[in-house]
Amino acid sequence: MFDNLKHQKLKDFEINIKDIIISRDTFTLIAGPCTVENYEDLLSIVSQLKKMGIKFFRGGAYKMRTSPYDFQGLERKGLEYLKKVSDKTGMISVSEIVSSEDVKIIAEHIDILQVGTRNMNNYRLLHKLGKITNPVILKRGMSSTIEEWLFAAEHILEAGNPDVILCERGIRTFETYTRNTLDISAIPAVKSVSHLPVIIDPSHSSGRRDMIKSLSWAAMAAGADGLMIETHFSPDSTICDSEQTIDFTMLAEIIQPMEKIISLWGKKLG
Ligand code: PEP
Ligand code: MN
């Protein structure tokens, strides 16, 4: 299957970003709020993540909200806060790009650019991301097959950027108990046809705080190359996605057996 993936053969993959390695031999843990709400809260969250030994943080400045009446993000101000916090803490930032007109400004402020589920098929955006040097996290479209997702990655690779990380964030099924359905089988599937790392987002896939631990452990056990988890010091008071956001106590619980589980796959924490 997928014979015409010209750039995704089974070969080595390695990104070195601020001396941290992202590869299929390491495990990349990204945590942080759904959205940047203000500078102080972001700094406090990221400082705590750093204390916990985490190297990557996330936070949305531009949000793709289903309703136009919901908070759309701090936009430019949010980018500035993310950069300031990253510079101050030395932590690696991840934030979503929602429009091709923002590529330059986001690439200047953010270490790793994320393409959200709603933009996986925005090929003009993917081509532009092929022209920058920042790594790109490409989320799976909520209604996309694995083949369509890998071809979306191929658009970025063909345009010239080899540093693509895939992120499974749940797909739409008939099930309504969870926000989406986490497709764990995407992990071994991707691994058998592509050399790109694949990380799991248990937050947007379940939409439920009570499931983050089991889905995270399941992802590690299935051989995922990382996790991206929405985390906040006060999940109930967040503006966006509070039902799925966890606190530091729960994050610590998730991390506790991590080294043991990822060692099943010969992996080390990145
Ligand atoms: C996010 O990670 O902030 C996000 C909006 O995720 P998704 O695109 O998977 O819905
Ligand atoms: Mn969110």
Side-chain angles (χ1 to χ4, degrees):
M1 250 178 134
F2 314 158
D3 289 339
N4 26 7
L5 290 171
K6 218 168 82 189
H7 298 279
Q8 292 174 75
K9 304 278 181 252
L10 297 176
K11 57 180 179 186
D12 289 343
F13 179 97
E14 188 173 296
I15 298 171
N16 181 330
I17 181 157
K18 294 184 176 166
D19 288 333
I20 303 297
I21 305 292
I22 301 174
S23 75
R24 302 240 293 214
D25 299 323
T26 57
F27 194 84
T28 302
L29 181 58
I30 306 163
C34 177
T35 182
V36 180
E37 296 182 19
N38 57 66
Y39 176 71
E40 290 72 25
D41 288 1
L42 184 67
L43 180 61
S44 148
I45 294 165
V46 177
S47 305
Q48 179 60 31
L49 295 174
K50 186 176 177 178
K51 273 192 208 147
M52 295 171 80
I54 296 169
K55 308 282 194 301
F56 300 82
F57 73 101
R58 58 153 290 145
Y62 296 85
K63 298 303 295 178
M64 297 277 279
R65 304 304 297 280
T66 302
S67 166
Y69 310 116
D70 288 338
F71 179 59
Q72 305 291 307
L74 292 182
E75 303 184 343
R76 183 70 188 259
K77 205 89 223 119
L79 290 182
E80 281 160 22
Y81 295 161
L82 285 156
K83 174 136 178 45
K84 219 165 130 186
V85 167
S86 170
D87 288 346
K88 200 173 163 76
T89 59
M91 295 270 282
I92 299 160
S93 60
V94 176
S95 197
E96 182 172 347
I97 173 147
V98 302
S99 166
S100 50
E101 73 205 28
D102 302 326
V103 171
K104 189 169 178 289
I105 182 84
I106 301 190
E108 282 167 5
H109 285 76
I110 304 297
D111 295 311
I112 303 179
L113 276 56
Q114 175 179 319
V115 176
T117 192
R118 293 164 183 80
N119 262 316
M120 189 206 86
N121 293 112
N122 185 344
Y123 301 118
R124 297 276 304 266
L125 170 63
L126 302 184
H127 295 164
K128 280 204 161 186
L129 295 173
K131 303 293 176 211
I132 59 171
T133 53
N134 311 53
V136 175
I137 292 179
L138 178 65
K139 287 201 159 194
R140 180 178 179 180
M142 61 182 89
S143 303
S144 301
T145 64
I146 290 169
E147 186 179 29
E148 289 162 344
W149 182 28
L150 295 182
F151 272 111
E154 194 76 6
H155 276 273
I156 306 174
L157 301 169
E158 170 67 15
N161 187 346
D163 296 338
V164 177
I165 300 150
L166 299 165
C167 178
E168 157 64 35
R169 50 79 68 204
I171 50 175
R172 280 227 160 143
T173 67
F174 50 81
E175 184 53 70
T176 55
Y177 187 74
T178 47
R179 184 171 174 179
N180 292 280
T181 298
L182 176 62
D183 182 9
I184 282 281
S185 62
I187 302 166
V190 164
K191 299 219 152 190
S192 66
V193 287
S194 173
H195 68 298
L196 299 176
V198 56
I199 67 171
I200 293 290
D201 173 349
S203 310
H204 293 90
S205 48
S206 67
R208 299 179 57 111
R209 202 178 291 166
D210 62 341
M211 290 189 177
I212 306 300
K213 183 169 84 176
S214 48
L215 296 181
S216 298
W217 286 358
M220 295 175 203
D225 300 304
L227 282 166
M228 176 152 63
I229 306 177
E230 286 189 338
T231 311
H232 193 279
F233 56 78
S234 172
D236 285 331
S237 62
T238 58
I239 299 179
C240 182
D241 286 350
S242 63
E243 347 50 72
Q244 68 197 33
T245 300
I246 62 165
D247 61 17
F248 297 122
T249 309
M250 201 176 281
L251 186 63
E253 244 181 84
I254 291 169
I255 294 175
Q256 202 267 329
M258 188 160 79
E259 273 185 85
K260 210 157 127 193
I261 309 178
I262 64 175
S263 73
L264 293 171
W265 297 94
K267 289 173 159 298
K268 285 200 164 60
L269 189 58

